[in-house]
Amino acid sequence: MIVEGLGGWLSKVGNFSLTLLIVTTYGLLMGAFIERIIAKVQGRIGIPYRQPFINILKNFFKRTAISHGVMFYLGPVFRIAGGIGTLAFVPVIYGDEMFSNFSMAGDLFLVIYFMFFGQLGMALGAGESGHPYSAIGIARGLSQMTAYEIPFALAVISIVIQYDTLSITQIVAAQQGGWQNWTVVTNWVATLAAMLAFLGMMGYSPFDIFLAPQEIPIGPPTEFHSAYLGLMQLNRALFGATKLVLFMNLFFGGATGWVELMIKTFLIYMVAIVIGVAFPRFRVDQGIRFFFKIPTLIGIMSIIYVQMVLTS
Amino acid sequence: MTQLTGHSSALDFAQPEPVDMASGKYVKLWQGPQHPGITGNMSLELTLDGDTIIDCKTHVGYLHRGFEKLMERRSFIQNFTVVCRIAVPEPTFNEYLYSHAVEQLSGIKIPERAIWLRTMNLELMRLASFLMWIGGMSGAFGQYTVPNWTTAYRDFVLDLFEEMTGARIYHMYIVPGGVRAGLPDGFEKRARDIMDGAEKLLDQVERVMFNNAVFKARSKGLGIITPDMIDPYGIVGPNARACGVERDIRKDEPYLAYDQLNFETITGKDSDAYERAYLRLQETRQCISLIRQCLDKAPKDGPFQADMPNVLHWKIPAGETYVKAECTRGEYGYYMVTDGSEFVRRVHVRGPSYTHAIAVMERLAVGNNIADIAGLMVSLHTYPPEIER
Amino acid sequence: MNTVDEILDYAIEQEQLAADFYEDVAQRVETAGMKKILLDFAEEEKRHKKILLAVKTGEHELTPEQEILDLKISDYLVEVKTSENISYQDALIIAMQRERAAYNLYNDMAQKVPDGKLKHILLGLAKEEAKHKLFFEAEYDERVLTDN
Amino acid sequence: MSLKDLLSPFFVWQRAFEKPYTTLRPTLDRPGAPAYRGFHINITETCVGCGSCQTICQNNAIDMVAVEAYAGRAGDSGLRPRFDYGRCCWCGLCVDICTAASLRMSNEYAWISDDPDSFHFTAGVDDKPWQDNELGYRRAEGYHLNPPKRIEMPMLSAQESLKSFAEVTLGYNEEQAKKEADRCVECGICVATCPAHMDVPDYIHSIRDGDYEKGLQLMYRTNPFPATCGRICTRRCESVCPVGILGEPVAIRWLKRFIVDQVDKKDYQRILEKPIASTGFKVAIIGAGPGGLSAAYYLRQQGHAVTVYEAQATGGGMLRYGVPSYRLPDAELDKDIDHITSIGVEIKYNSRIGKDVMFESLLENYDAVFMSTGLSVPSSMRINGENHARVLSGLQILADVASDRDPGIGKKVAVIGGGNVAMDAARVSRRLGAEVTILYRRRISDMPADEEEIHECQQEGCTIVPQAIPVEIIDADNKQKVCIKWGEAKMVDDPKGGRARPVLQEDKMHTETYDCIISAIGQSSNLDYLSKELQEQLAFEWGKLTPAEYQHTSMKKVFVGGDFANRTADAISAIEDGHHAARGINRFLNPDFYTALEKQEN
């Protein structure tokens, strides 16, 4: 029994490693593809598909010569730990034992925690650099996160109430049997709130407040370099893809195969891009005010909607 | 929202109370000299109260190449390769004004064709500069699509320059005595094609950038210049025109072929960042019309250079002159003193960025959010290289 | 003088005589420079002789078809006599006129013999002399007729 | 916030379905514009190494470096521009100023190399991939940074000039001279070409500065005949002047004349250097022509006592008797000669060596002898009838006119020859009222005379009949007349190169009658004053000799110079011979000083 349990564990770890590899690669490739789409809008040809891989490899082979202290370097490590942690509890392919990862009864809470974890690590690391711009960037990033977490949390609460479960696998299971069962149809109010939060989460215009190079150029991508920058880039692909998978699972019926996953995640991603290339960036106060207003309102409405319409 | 610490209005020039940094309430932040939100190597020393700027000081000196001094040690012809570097995005105005000053002092009269080619060259430069500026304005507020379009189109204009002058940026085309060459074969058609494309592009830009909720939210009401600030601050060009002051050297004191071109001075109402941007968009359209007029009217042949002495030991009689032209940012001037030797005694370059980026910027920045500094600065259209000649 | 060899022998002898002539004049002129020039002329004649010897052994072919430029300078110059203080101009005139005489001689002879090997040789010799004449005439044109 | 403002931005997506602005491989897909100012090309064969590119470069990115292959070429400094691409700003001024239009730019703009030294290269010499590029920046037609046309010399009109022997050229005024001086690019190629190595760029510079006294000082360093040379110099300098490759060369001769014209004769003593203290050595000079007097001047400057022996009644030699006064007025020649005598050179006129004074006695009484007796005997045509009484020598006519004698040429004359003497004889004849025909055996372009002289000659109404070979002089019916028979020539190219040769066409003969025929086909030397032994000892070859270093002959004390000792036979060469011989004589007289100096240098 113990041996069997250990064996199961080991195979789970192995399976997760494979998932990790696939999701990361997919994340990088999709990143390049999205870059090319943005480039097309901007009238350019864009980067080759291999570019994200080259960037990461190059950065990994670089060494750093300066030190800002241990926490500074732990920042990116925390960050990727957050990314891997998030993925670890998100079932990627519904109904496939191999790609269900460590999905369990309360994984939704865990995932939301992990999503926050990386950001906090980053905040500690970048804050360690001592540059005022870093502090400003972190303050901006955290305030925006707080702002979009509210509608997102409200939306999640709404679907938790709707499906009466905290397990992502079960939420996906509840949406099986056709598109009419997807949350986006059954609970479109929560989906709307979550998708607005998603815009903030992805950090494209008009919510790229914490990256804003014209305003605070000394943000994390400038402060970190060499392998640490590589870790961050890797995380961006991994974490981005994981978030998409999570959104797909929660609102768009999950995926039963890789092709379905790719199509769905890509389309979800495109929501941020379609808006991102068209608008300039909000000022930080404008951005936060935005989330506190409409999305939050919609989030509250979604709970009311769930209570009044769906569960009654 | 614009609240000036220690100042009652923009025209209050009293020394402000020093900020009590020891209180720990404030943060000092250096925006620049290496900063994507600054239009060149320049630095703004910002004192922040939270996200709000309560004091702004402009620091220059990072870009000092001493052109005015360099020119005193170079012959008159050699200088013409130096001056274009004073304002990188629009070198041609420097070339023209330098050449014009030299011609005035040495009594050279340039031929008709050179006058037209110069006018066209200056307008093409204005177009290129405005296209880049539109991109900068858009980019400063985080919209990255428009910059890609306009810089691409600027590149097409630079292609025209490349054909016409042999170089993309430092054209060195307007030489004392005239211009360096006539137009190459087929230039006119290509120029007209690009003008048509640029016109279409500007419509697109207006639709995407100016009819944009977020852009309006960011730029409206930002950095208002009132008409009574114009004279005390020496504000010129679109910045002044945007608040309704009709001031354009092309109209007021026509030079080159401007008196033969058909155009009206464009003015705005309230000079905030949006108004200034919109005014420049209209001026960009006007540029296209002027270039077309130049293409129509410029003589196709004839000399393009006046009779010149041997430039290797060219001496210019003692004298002094001030010449000016309307560049994209307003009045650009060259004050030149010669002493009869082979070298210029003194050159002073008056770039509009000096007032715009220092006095005006320092005053307008106060009370604004740190996020708006880049947009504000770009909306004033400043070029740090011309502050430090 | 009816065989090819005889003609060639005659021609070779003539060249030798010319060389002897220049050497003889060289003995009599007073300036060293002029002496050197005349000895150069003699050398030139010896070179001609060598060519003819080569013709005789068959190592060299005469080319009667070849067109040789005739500058016709010597045709209209006065006769010059050799003397102790002969000038360079005069020496050249003498040389030109000697070559012209030889050319005329071979040419005339060629007119008198029937077509065949002999005629071929005679015409070839005439052309050879024409070449020599051109050499001196070109020298005259180059050095003497500078301003003219 | 209107709905339009929310939706309108989405028009950005329109662009996504259009062709991108960018290209995949920019440097390959998009070559530079045809007139792009890219990397430099230098056609080193046409380049003369004037260095104007180096002068104009505002960044000192160009250095002129010696290139073996072009060393020692005539009219070529042997230098070629080397570019330092760490400094170059691709302004193209070097292309604009290039006098030979050899420097240009390719439209190549991308160059990657891991060898930093390869960005420092001599264009056209160091192999670069763009050297044969057809496209790139060239100087536009009609664009000049240096006026291509020279300032016209004010001259008497042809009608005016025919009336008298007054000087034809009037000289620049100050404004004209300064303008012309301005055209000089100060390359110094002329200095190397000038036989006397006059410091041309510097004295032209002194004109620009308005410091004519300095200009005069500079000229006297190498040439004591500036007034003369400023009028009649054969100016080989101008033939190599790089400004003349694309335009007209700088009028160096007229500028030289301008300087002299600005300085009054009486100021010469004050301005110019005085001789150093006497050395006690005595030097004899035979012939008061340009060679002899030049040697006399520089020897006197070195403190030696100098005596010049001259057979004629006045000095100047060929300058006085061979050059008509409408080209060189006597007063100007006197200006030069007077300064030479004013520093203490003694000239003994009417003293013919071999008759009045014996050469041997000079050898005995002087420490060194310099001979410069020139070419004074007219060459003969060696055609029949040449000794006819109405066949005159050009030289004789010029000498007669110079000495105010009537040469008696009549009303219709033929001049034979294409040199300067022929032109002078023709123009003098025109002034004497004759109708002149010039017969020349080659083409006009082959004439050895100055182009200017040929032009002026035609202006003044002389008829030039080119490709006319005189073959015989025939007695005319009248004793006062003479007939000439001449044949037309056709030009035949020399297969070995060299100039085309005229070949007489015997079927195209003409016979004309003239009042006289002036033969001007060259001169040779008259060495009658030397015994045969001496001629032999001095190694004269057909009237000429080639001296050793410093104009030294095989005789210990004897130095030679001037027309009979050089190939070029012009005034400036004679002047340099004299100067050079003066240096040689000085070394010869002070051997210890020079050996010590050389030791010091080594």
Side-chain angles (χ1 to χ4, degrees):
Chain A
M1 180 74 192
I2 294 169
V3 176
E4 199 182 73
L6 189 67
W9 243 94
L10 279 177
S11 78
K12 271 206 160 193
V13 170
N15 287 342
F16 173 62
S17 307
L18 182 64
T19 316
L20 191 64
L21 187 72
I22 296 172
V23 171
T24 311
T25 313
Y26 170 61
L28 288 169
L29 278 174
M30 185 168 57
F33 187 53
I34 292 291
E35 277 299 321
R36 285 176 73 94
I37 289 173
I38 294 174
K40 201 86 178 85
V41 177
Q42 296 178 342
R44 294 183 286 121
I45 291 171
I47 57 169
Y49 288 102
R50 61 180 182 279
Q51 193 65 48
F53 299 93
I54 295 171
N55 289 348
I56 287 170
L57 272 181
K58 184 191 81 175
N59 283 323
F60 271 122
F61 282 110
K62 286 192 167 180
R63 290 289 165 264
T64 179
I66 51 159
S67 170
H68 287 295
V70 177
M71 197 56 226
F72 180 78
Y73 296 117
L74 279 180
V77 179
F78 275 35
R79 179 110 217 205
I80 193 142
I84 296 170
T86 315
L87 180 65
F89 297 101
V90 175
V92 176
I93 304 289
Y94 172 72
D96 191 329
E97 189 61 27
M98 201 170 167
F99 301 113
S100 287
N101 298 337
F102 301 100
S103 179
M104 56 181 188
D107 53 6
L108 185 53
F109 269 1
L110 207 54
V111 163
I112 291 175
Y113 161 73
F114 264 121
M115 282 168 71
F116 217 81
F117 174 81
Q119 289 277 34
L120 284 176
M122 207 57 227
L124 289 171
E128 187 93 350
S129 77
H131 197 287
Y133 276 124
S134 280
I136 294 174
I138 291 305
R140 284 179 167 203
L142 291 182
S143 7
Q144 185 178 318
M145 191 165 78
T146 318
Y148 69 66
E149 284 281 335
I150 291 174
F152 180 62
L154 288 171
V156 168
I157 292 167
S158 173
I159 59 168
V160 166
I161 297 169
Q162 182 189 352
Y163 296 117
D164 199 18
T165 178
L166 280 172
S167 159
I168 301 171
T169 312
Q170 284 180 21
I171 291 174
V172 177
Q175 297 177 61
Q176 295 306 304
W179 61 269
Q180 67 276 11
N181 292 337
W182 296 357
T183 317
V184 68
V185 180
T186 57
N187 190 356
W188 58 271
V189 190
T191 310
L192 187 60
M195 283 315 289
L196 286 172
F198 172 75
L199 292 180
M201 216 178 271
M202 293 307 284
Y204 282 93
S205 286
F207 302 106
D208 53 343
I209 291 164
F210 51 89
L211 281 172
Q214 285 80 5
E215 298 163 21
I216 42 163
I218 324 282
T222 325
E223 284 293 287
F224 292 102
H225 45 264
S226 68
Y228 306 103
L229 185 60
L231 277 180
M232 285 174 60
Q233 286 172 330
L234 202 59
N235 179 63
R236 197 174 161 79
L238 166 65
F239 192 52
T242 309
K243 270 189 284 192
L244 292 172
V245 172
L246 180 67
F247 268 77
M248 174 188 77
N249 283 343
L250 293 183
F251 304 103
F252 299 95
T256 49
W258 284 108
V259 176
E260 190 186 351
L261 176 132
M262 284 177 191
I263 294 168
K264 281 185 176 173
T265 48
F266 170 71
L267 289 174
I268 297 168
Y269 203 156
M270 281 305 288
V271 173
I273 300 303
V274 165
I275 295 167
V277 295
F279 286 98
R281 166 194 318 126
F282 270 132
R283 206 161 51 217
V284 60
D285 54 325
Q286 289 169 333
I288 290 166
R289 220 165 270 149
F290 172 82
F291 284 119
F292 281 168
K293 279 182 190 162
I294 300 164
T296 308
L297 225 65
I298 298 173
I300 295 167
M301 272 168 60
S302 76
I303 293 174
I304 298 168
Y305 175 76
V306 166
Q307 294 284 16
M308 309 275 289
V309 183
L310 294 182
T311 54
S312 59
Chain B
M1 183 172 163
T2 308
Q3 154 208 343
L4 309 164
T5 345
H7 289 290
S8 56
S9 77
L11 300 175
D12 176 7
F13 293 105
Q15 196 68 31
E17 288 291 314
V19 178
D20 179 16
M21 290 303 293
S23 68
K25 281 166 69 183
Y26 308 106
V27 178
K28 272 236 162 152
L29 196 64
W30 285 76
Q31 184 129 332
Q34 311 293 340
H35 191 296
I38 296 283
T39 48
N41 288 47
M42 193 181 105
S43 186
L44 296 174
E45 181 192 359
L46 304 171
T47 313
L48 299 175
D49 178 4
D51 256 7
T52 310
I53 293 149
I54 56 163
D55 191 28
C56 170
K57 282 268 167 295
T58 303
H59 292 269
V60 292
Y62 307 97
L63 201 54
H64 188 70
R65 294 145 296 172
F67 286 127
E68 288 176 356
K69 196 72 195 167
L70 284 178
M71 283 155 81
E72 290 168 21
R73 290 288 174 274
R74 277 166 169 74
S75 67
F76 287 102
I77 193 74
Q78 288 177 334
N79 278 340
F80 121 92
T81 69
V82 171
V83 290
C84 49
R85 284 151 227 277
I86 293 177
V88 185
E90 45 186 78
T92 302
F93 289 94
N94 288 286
E95 291 175 19
Y96 163 63
L97 285 171
Y98 174 76
S99 301
H100 189 45
V102 166
E103 283 152 12
Q104 280 217 334
L105 290 169
S106 57
I108 290 175
K109 208 173 159 336
I110 63 166
E112 182 73 8
R113 188 165 170 219
I115 290 177
W116 281 98
L117 288 173
R118 280 182 176 190
T119 314
M120 183 160 74
N121 204 29
L122 291 181
E123 285 307 316
L124 275 171
M125 189 76 262
R126 193 188 307 275
L127 175 62
S129 180
F130 271 144
L131 283 173
M132 187 157 96
W133 178 85
I134 290 170
M137 188 69 197
S138 181
F141 289 130
Q143 214 281 22
Y144 301 134
T145 309
V146 172
N148 277 285
W149 293 350
T150 55
T151 38
Y153 248 88
R154 172 176 177 265
D155 260 305
F156 296 147
V157 179
L158 296 188
D159 286 348
L160 290 179
F161 274 119
E162 189 181 326
E163 280 186 43
M164 187 174 179
T165 70
R168 298 178 72 82
I169 305 291
Y170 295 136
H171 313 128
M172 303 181 204
Y173 178 68
I174 300 178
V175 62
V179 294
R180 259 171 125 168
L183 296 178
D185 294 340
F187 177 85
E188 195 181 324
K189 175 165 187 310
R190 287 189 288 274
R192 284 188 197 277
D193 288 350
I194 287 170
M195 290 310 121
D196 294 347
E199 207 161 44
K200 240 178 261 165
L201 177 88
L202 292 178
D203 292 343
Q204 249 175 330
V205 167
E206 177 161 5
R207 210 181 278 157
V208 170
M209 178 176 158
F210 289 88
N211 293 333
N212 188 322
V214 181
F215 183 74
K216 280 186 175 168
R218 288 294 299 271
S219 60
K220 284 220 164 175
L222 175 64
I224 293 172
I225 295 174
T226 51
D228 54 2
M229 284 170 74
I230 301 296
D231 283 335
Y233 282 90
I235 298 169
V236 288
N239 289 347
R241 290 199 285 276
C243 66
V245 177
E246 212 169 301
R247 189 174 283 184
D248 188 335
I249 297 169
R250 290 178 292 177
K251 271 276 175 233
D252 302 342
E253 297 168 51
Y255 52 97
L256 290 177
Y258 283 109
D259 50 351
Q260 297 166 60
L261 292 173
N262 180 24
F263 70 105
E264 290 303 322
T265 307
I266 300 167
T267 52
K269 274 207 293 290
D270 309 304
S271 182
D272 62 11
Y274 184 84
E275 187 73 22
R276 290 195 285 268
Y278 193 61
L279 184 118
R280 288 195 177 100
L281 181 78
Q282 287 171 290
E283 290 207 350
T284 317
R285 289 207 173 99
Q286 189 183 59
C287 260
I288 295 174
S289 137
L290 290 176
I291 293 164
R292 284 185 179 142
Q293 290 182 41
C294 286
L295 285 171
D296 291 339
K297 293 183 185 171
K300 299 285 179 285
D301 39 34
F304 48 80
Q305 189 201 28
D307 285 340
M308 297 279 288
N310 182 355
V311 296
L312 288 181
H313 21 249
W314 186 9
K315 290 181 178 173
I316 289 183
E320 62 174 327
T321 186
Y322 177 73
V323 292
K324 55 187 174 179
E326 182 79 12
C327 73
T328 55
R329 291 141 292 137
E331 176 182 333
Y332 206 91
Y334 264 62
Y335 173 65
M336 187 181 283
V337 184
T338 48
D339 56 6
S341 73
E342 294 179 21
F343 302 104
V344 63
R345 179 70 194 86
R346 177 80 172 92
V347 181
H348 173 79
V349 182
R350 190 265 184 222
S353 297
Y354 194 91
T355 48
H356 294 167
I358 297 181
V360 180
M361 182 69 198
E362 282 180 0
R363 189 53 62 92
L364 293 184
V366 173
N368 279 316
N369 192 298
I370 174 177
D372 288 331
I373 286 299
L376 177 61
M377 176 137 190
V378 177
S379 84
L380 293 172
H381 203 182
T382 56
Y383 290 158
E386 78 181 24
I387 301 172
E388 300 174 50
R389 287 91 46 187
Chain C
M1 285 235 291
N2 293 323
T3 66
V4 172
D5 276 357
E6 274 174 15
I7 288 290
L8 279 175
D9 284 341
Y10 171 77
I12 290 163
E13 195 190 331
Q14 286 302 312
E15 297 293 352
Q16 183 56 51
L17 284 175
D20 292 348
F21 166 76
Y22 289 126
E23 275 168 3
D24 176 47
V25 180
Q27 295 308 315
R28 284 186 284 135
V29 295
E30 284 162 348
T31 61
M34 204 58 236
K35 185 173 284 177
K36 188 171 162 292
I37 287 160
L38 287 165
L39 289 174
D40 282 351
F41 284 5
E43 278 305 308
E44 182 65 23
E45 295 299 340
K46 283 178 186 160
R47 199 174 66 77
H48 298 165
K49 185 181 157 190
K50 249 183 219 152
I51 291 171
L52 293 181
L53 283 169
V55 171
K56 201 178 165 190
T57 55
E59 289 165 44
H60 187 85
E61 276 288 323
L62 286 172
T63 50
E65 305 81 20
Q66 198 186 353
E67 275 300 317
I68 304 293
L69 184 62
D70 185 1
L71 292 180
K72 296 180 187 139
I73 292 174
S74 54
D75 306 27
Y76 294 94
L77 295 179
V78 290
E79 291 273 342
V80 177
K81 291 205 179 73
T82 58
S83 70
E84 299 82 53
N85 47 8
I86 185 173
S87 72
Y88 183 59
Q89 184 178 10
D90 291 343
L92 274 175
I93 293 172
I94 291 169
M96 286 190 297
Q97 284 172 347
R98 284 183 70 94
E99 300 295 349
R100 184 163 65 96
Y103 167 75
N104 287 342
L105 174 69
Y106 292 128
N107 228 4
D108 291 350
M109 282 166 78
Q111 300 310 318
K112 287 174 194 152
V113 299
D115 289 358
K117 179 113 203 253
L118 196 58
K119 185 165 188 151
H120 181 85
I121 286 290
L122 284 167
L123 283 174
L125 284 170
K127 283 285 147 72
E128 199 63 28
E129 296 302 328
K131 264 190 234 170
H132 304 162
K133 181 165 96 92
L134 178 64
F135 171 83
F136 288 115
E137 283 192 334
E139 179 78 3
Y140 191 84
D141 185 57
E142 200 75 15
R143 295 287 178 86
V144 180
L145 299 173
T146 46
D147 272 14
N148 190 343
Chain D
M1 193 194 282
S2 69
L3 192 64
K4 186 188 165 206
D5 286 350
L6 266 182
L7 296 180
S8 180
F10 288 105
F11 274 109
V12 284
W13 285 92
Q14 208 181 346
R15 179 69 231 174
F17 304 100
E18 288 167 29
K19 196 170 155 279
Y21 298 122
T22 56
T23 52
L24 210 49
R25 299 159 302 170
T27 50
L28 297 178
D29 296 348
R30 195 193 168 287
Y36 192 77
R37 295 203 305 268
F39 303 132
H40 289 83
I41 296 173
N42 190 13
I43 311 298
T44 43
E45 281 301 315
T46 4
C47 178
V48 295
C50 71
S52 299
C53 45
Q54 183 190 28
T55 315
I56 204 164
C57 182
Q58 61 101 5
N59 258 346
N60 292 340
I62 300 177
D63 284 311
M64 299 302 289
V65 293
V67 173
E68 192 87 30
Y70 302 103
R73 278 199 185 183
D76 186 336
S77 68
L79 305 174
R80 292 295 180 267
R82 183 175 66 187
F83 293 86
D84 179 354
Y85 274 1
R87 288 168 155 264
C88 179
C89 73
W90 282 272
C91 63
L93 276 180
C94 46
V95 177
D96 290 356
I97 197 73
C98 181
T99 53
S102 70
L103 196 60
R104 50 190 66 166
M105 283 164 142
S106 68
N107 69 339
E108 197 60 55
Y109 58 88
W111 179 19
I112 299 163
S113 166
D114 51 11
D115 174 18
D117 289 335
S118 67
F119 294 91
H120 202 207
F121 72 104
T122 312
V125 176
D126 295 343
D127 194 33
K128 294 290 177 196
W130 56 80
Q131 174 69 18
D132 299 321
N133 215 330
E134 292 289 322
L135 297 173
Y137 179 70
R138 308 284 137 93
R139 177 167 45 190
E141 190 87 14
Y143 171 66
H144 304 284
L145 293 182
N146 192 6
K149 291 246 180 287
R150 64 160 63 170
I151 304 292
E152 280 296 323
M153 182 63 163
M155 287 174 75
L156 291 179
S157 68
Q159 293 83 1
E160 198 69 29
S161 62
L162 278 179
K163 285 182 190 156
S164 70
F165 281 82
E167 192 172 15
V168 176
T169 49
L170 301 174
Y172 285 142
N173 62 29
E174 187 152 0
E175 191 201 337
Q176 290 168 322
K178 283 194 167 160
K179 264 196 169 161
E180 183 60 28
D182 207 42
R183 298 175 64 233
C184 172
V185 297
E186 302 192 308
C187 61
I189 289 177
C190 44
V191 181
T193 308
C194 175
H197 306 302
M198 292 192 75
D199 193 356
V200 179
D202 277 355
Y203 71 68
I204 291 185
H205 195 119
S206 77
I207 296 179
R208 290 203 300 275
D209 291 346
D211 188 353
Y212 309 121
E213 299 190 351
K214 187 184 165 207
L216 194 74
Q217 287 167 353
L218 286 169
M219 293 197 293
Y220 263 92
R221 281 189 195 164
T222 44
N223 184 346
F225 281 93
T228 304
C229 287
R231 285 170 168 80
I232 54 99
C233 184
T234 43
R235 63 195 202 293
R236 256 168 281 162
C237 47
E238 290 182 23
S239 66
V240 299
C241 179
V243 177
I245 298 176
L246 297 178
E248 292 170 337
V250 176
I252 299 173
R253 179 171 61 172
W254 300 142
L255 291 175
K256 178 159 35 209
R257 166 181 171 167
F258 172 76
I259 294 180
V260 182
D261 286 354
Q262 300 317 299
V263 184
D264 201 280
K265 196 159 94 178
K266 63 180 190 300
D267 293 330
Y268 271 39
Q269 283 283 352
R270 175 176 58 80
I271 298 164
L272 298 172
E273 266 180 85
K274 289 176 187 57
I276 60 168
S278 173
T279 54
F281 290 115
K282 284 178 3 186
V283 183
I285 286 168
I286 307 173
L293 289 181
S294 168
Y297 178 78
Y298 291 108
L299 285 166
R300 181 70 202 113
Q301 287 287 10
Q302 289 297 321
H304 308 307
V306 181
T307 313
V308 182
Y309 293 91
E310 170 60 49
Q312 303 290 339
T314 45
M318 223 23 119
L319 296 177
R320 192 177 300 276
Y321 297 105
V323 182
S325 60
Y326 59 83
R327 282 176 68 203
L328 173 61
D330 285 350
E332 299 299 332
L333 180 59
D334 288 342
K335 197 175 182 180
D336 288 337
I337 297 176
D338 287 355
H339 179 64
I340 294 168
T341 50
S342 75
I343 63 162
V345 170
E346 187 195 356
I347 308 181
K348 292 197 163 147
Y349 293 114
N350 299 317
S351 320
R352 188 176 282 279
I353 304 294
K355 200 175 106 204
D356 304 315
V357 191
M358 294 315 287
F359 188 78
E360 287 75 7
S361 75
L362 295 182
L363 281 181
E364 250 167 61
N365 296 332
Y366 290 91
D367 297 302
V369 177
F370 176 69
M371 284 159 50
S372 171
T373 51
L375 306 174
S376 52
V377 183
S379 303
S380 97
M381 294 182 281
R382 292 286 199 278
I383 56 174
N384 286 321
E386 194 185 6
N387 297 330
H388 193 283
R390 295 306 295 158
V391 176
L392 307 175
S393 104
L395 218 50
Q396 188 56 45
I397 287 167
L398 294 176
D400 284 348
V401 171
S403 317
D404 289 333
R405 290 191 295 266
D406 179 17
I409 52 165
K411 288 288 152 209
K412 188 184 175 204
V413 304
V415 176
I416 298 170
N420 277 336
V421 175
M423 298 303 124
D424 286 340
R427 294 175 70 185
V428 163
S429 306
R430 283 293 291 151
R431 280 170 176 72
L432 294 173
E435 185 190 314
V436 180
T437 310
I438 298 171
L439 300 176
Y440 178 57
R441 66 190 299 126
R442 296 169 222 270
R443 294 162 299 197
I444 292 184
S445 57
D446 295 319
M447 281 187 166
D450 267 8
E451 217 171 290
E452 250 173 15
E453 274 239 61
I454 298 167
H455 178 71
E456 284 166 24
C457 197
Q458 286 170 316
Q459 289 283 303
E460 289 172 7
C462 303
T463 317
I464 300 182
V465 181
Q467 283 160 262
I469 300 179
V471 293
E472 199 177 355
I473 308 274
I474 309 161
D475 291 342
D477 315 336
N478 186 333
K479 275 238 157 139
Q480 291 307 307
K481 288 186 191 296
V482 62
C483 291
I484 181 164
K485 186 176 169 195
W486 57 270
E488 287 178 27
K490 70 164 187 261
M491 301 305 289
V492 179
D493 285 329
D494 185 357
K496 289 179 201 131
R499 64 175 178 176
R501 298 185 197 287
V503 177
L504 184 68
Q505 290 171 288
E506 284 165 319
D507 51 341
K508 289 182 182 166
M509 290 290 191
H510 303 265
T511 310
E512 267 320 312
T513 310
Y514 294 99
D515 287 348
C516 78
I517 287 166
I518 300 171
S519 151
I521 59 160
Q523 298 99 262
S524 58
S525 56
N526 178 1
L527 299 175
D528 293 348
Y529 63 91
L530 292 175
S531 66
K532 299 278 185 244
E533 292 73 35
L534 274 169
Q535 285 191 29
E536 191 76 353
Q537 206 175 339
L538 288 167
F540 271 93
E541 285 180 18
W542 35 287
K544 287 206 162 202
L545 89 173
T546 312
E549 208 191 353
Y550 291 111
Q551 307 296 120
H552 212 154
T553 62
S554 45
M555 280 176 81
K556 204 174 140 223
K557 274 186 182 180
V558 182
F559 293 74
V560 290
D563 289 356
F564 77 175
N566 63 36
R567 284 169 170 276
T568 46
D570 55 8
I572 190 72
S573 305
I575 289 164
E576 170 57 12
D577 283 354
H579 190 183
H580 200 53
R583 269 174 264 166
I585 292 169
N586 211 26
R587 288 174 81 94
F588 169 69
L589 297 177
N590 303 297
D592 299 343
F593 175 75
Y594 284 97
T595 34
L597 199 72
E598 270 160 19
K599 247 183 215 158
Q600 212 173 15
E601 276 169 3
N602 296 336

